[in-house]
Amino acid sequence: MRKRGDGGWSQRAGSVLSTRYGLEVAFSILVGVLMGALWSFFNPRCYTTTSIALDKLQHLNSELTTLREENIELKVHLKRAEQERDAALKQRESLGLVKKVGPVGTVKSLRTQPLVQPNEDANPKLAEILSKVAPDKELVVGIANNNVRSMVNIWFSSLKRAGVSNYLLVALDDQIAHFCKSNQVPFYRRDATIAAIQKDTGDNHAISGLKFHLLREFLELGYSVLLSDVDILFFQNPFLHLYRDCDVESMSDGYNNQTAYGYDDVSDDPKMGWARYAHTMRIWVFNSGLFYIRPTIPSIELLDRVTSRLSKEKAWDQAVFNEELFRPSHPGYEGLHASLRVMDYYLFMNSKVMFTIVRKDANFDGFLPVALHVNYHPDKYERMLALINYFVNGKKDALKAFPDGSEWR
């Protein structure tokens, strides 16, 4: 009985102490609140000062963002000015008076062709739009209809995120034009007629074939164009990574130094005996979905040639584009004399490079391409979303579910 009495007393004592402790805590909180209220009453400027400091901090962050964007623009201007100066010097040397050949290693031929004289009368409507969108006479151009609206949204969002303001979408129907307008995306509404022979090649290929005809309008007005399909993501400002020293500067479908930049491929014909081995030069094709083209005579001739062939042949536009670029003059045919440059295949990356090499190599951790074209895979939209998660949101497992290649349905 005594033990039970002791236990009951202990429980009652604990309850009293707990209640007392709770009252002390409540009293302390009340005192703190009252002191805070008194401090606020007698020192109202304290909170005002904090609010002003926060406003100033937000304003400084906004100014810092603006300065960063202006700094990128200045870098682009400076790079372009240096490139134009070098090109002008080379043109003057090449087109000047005939002179003797210099020492070995000093002789350089002309690669940067002079620009055409702009003809604003050719398309006053487009000229007015471009004067506002691209004051520096160069811009990113995409071409799309409403069937690819979801990818268009990702495309222009990536351009904005990369700090690119000089871009334009050629809208092929009213729906995509309205979509651009509602999202404050510069657009040029253009009706385009698909050649009868191209109508059954599939919507994507048919529209892709139109771009060569449409691009001519930009070049004729004196604008350089970075043509971009809408299955491309931009992670950096591409105009900081162009050389502008050739008529056409294009990304490659290649996946290493050999396939992207060219290599000596040996063909074996055993029946020839001693002469069984023949050396060939090979290069994987330029990608017609992402290339920079300057307003020069060879460039416009290229567009005219491709457009003419696609109006008569049931052919893939990328194949025709490359044939006209690379096929040399021969009996019965005069080749195109255009200067060419292959873009860095890691900076201007295709999706084969991304999914078979880059995502698996730890050496690429932290690497950020300039642009990435989802050209090797049909599930474009899903991969584009995953690539944004991978590069922008830092989710390194975002690409794990995708196979290297394509699973055609």
Side-chain angles (χ1 to χ4, degrees), residues 194-211:
I194 298 173
I197 199 166
Q198 296 291 334
K199 286 185 177 179
D200 59 348
T201 60
D203 189 59
N204 288 340
H205 281 180
I207 290 176
S208 185
L210 287 172
K211 62 192 172 193

Side-chain angles (χ1 to χ4, degrees), residues 368-379:
L368 190 67
V370 174
L372 204 158
H373 191 180
V374 187
N375 60 319
Y376 269 95
H377 301 88
D379 49 343

Side-chain angles (χ1 to χ4, degrees), residues 6-7 19 39 45 55 65 72 155 165 180 184 191 222 227 231 262 265 279 319 327 337 346 363 384:
D6 289 345
T19 302
W39 178 263
R45 296 181 61 185
D55 289 341
T65 301
I72 291 175
W155 176 78
S165 58
C180 288
Q184 294 161 345
D191 285 320
L227 187 281
D231 58 345
D265 187 33
H279 290 257
R327 182 179 289 166
H337 299 278
Y346 281 126
N363 291 318
M384 289 174 80

Side-chain angles (χ1 to χ4, degrees), residues 5-178:
D6 289 345
W9 180 86
S10 177
Q11 289 176 359
R12 287 194 299 275
S15 176
V16 170
L17 288 172
S18 177
T19 302
R20 183 178 178 183
Y21 176 75
L23 290 172
E24 288 177 352
V25 170
F27 180 74
S28 297
I29 293 173
L30 179 61
V31 170
V33 171
L34 289 173
M35 290 181 66
L38 289 170
W39 178 263
S40 176
F41 178 78
F42 289 108
N43 298 277
R45 296 181 61 185
C46 174
Y47 294 95
T48 303
T49 304
T50 303
S51 177
I52 292 172
L54 289 173
D55 289 341
K56 284 185 177 180
L57 181 61
Q58 291 177 352
H59 180 68
L60 288 172
N61 284 334
S62 177
E63 286 187 342
L64 182 59
T65 301
T66 302
L67 288 172
R68 283 173 179 166
E69 292 173 354
E70 290 177 352
N71 186 44
I72 291 175
E73 290 181 4
L74 287 172
K75 286 181 180 179
V76 173
H77 293 322
L78 179 61
K79 186 167 187 174
R80 281 195 63 200
E82 292 174 347
Q83 291 170 337
E84 288 172 359
R85 179 202 62 195
D86 293 343
L89 289 173
K90 290 176 183 176
Q91 288 172 16
R92 187 181 69 179
E93 292 174 2
S94 178
L95 300 175
L97 296 174
V98 177
K99 53 187 178 182
K100 292 181 179 180
V101 175
V104 175
T106 65
V107 178
K108 299 291 183 182
S109 62
L110 180 64
R111 291 172 181 81
T112 309
Q113 300 288 340
L115 304 178
V116 299
Q117 182 70 34
N119 178 18
E120 293 190 0
D121 294 333
N123 192 331
K125 179 183 176 182
L126 180 59
E128 182 181 358
I129 295 172
L130 294 179
S131 66
K132 300 173 183 176
V133 173
D136 290 334
K137 295 286 187 176
E138 64 178 3
L139 72 161
V140 177
V141 173
I143 302 170
N145 60 21
N146 198 52
N147 293 339
V148 289
R149 177 190 291 204
S150 58
M151 286 196 294
V152 168
N153 185 32
I154 298 176
W155 176 78
F156 69 67
S157 296
S158 75
L159 283 165
K160 291 179 179 180
R161 189 166 49 246
V164 180
S165 58
N166 49 330
Y167 69 96
L168 178 88
L169 184 81
V170 178
L172 299 180
D173 55 42
D174 290 334
Q175 294 94 328
I176 198 68
H178 177 73

Side-chain angles (χ1 to χ4, degrees), residues 271-386:
K271 71 175 182 293
M272 293 302 296
W274 174 81
R276 64 184 293 177
Y277 300 111
H279 290 257
T280 68
M281 279 304 299
R282 297 192 63 186
I283 184 172
W284 285 36
V285 295
F286 278 15
N287 188 290
S288 62
L290 184 64
F291 61 90
Y292 182 79
I293 185 165
R294 298 173 66 248
T296 65
I297 293 299
S299 295
I300 294 174
E301 184 182 0
L302 167 67
L303 299 179
D304 289 347
R305 286 186 178 210
V306 176
T307 300
S308 176
R309 284 187 57 186
L310 290 176
S311 68
K312 303 170 185 175
E313 304 174 21
K314 190 174 181 179
W316 183 26
D317 68 280
Q318 180 160 290
V320 174
F321 175 67
N322 279 271
E323 287 171 2
E324 292 300 329
L325 279 173
F326 290 102
R327 182 179 289 166
S329 299
H330 57 265
Y333 176 80
E334 184 179 352
L336 181 73
H337 299 278
S339 55
L340 310 175
R341 172 178 284 276
V342 184
M343 292 174 169
D344 186 315
Y345 66 92
Y346 281 126
L347 293 180
F348 295 87
M349 190 183 298
N350 62 58
S351 56
K352 178 174 182 175
V353 173
M354 181 66 221
F355 283 93
T356 65
I357 300 173
V358 172
R359 67 166 172 169
K360 300 177 179 181
D361 191 339
N363 291 318
F364 286 99
D365 287 350
F367 175 76
L368 190 67
V370 174
L372 204 158
H373 191 180
V374 187
N375 60 319
Y376 269 95
H377 301 88
D379 49 343
K380 298 177 182 296
Y381 181 70
E382 294 78 11
R383 292 193 186 235
M384 289 174 80
L385 291 177

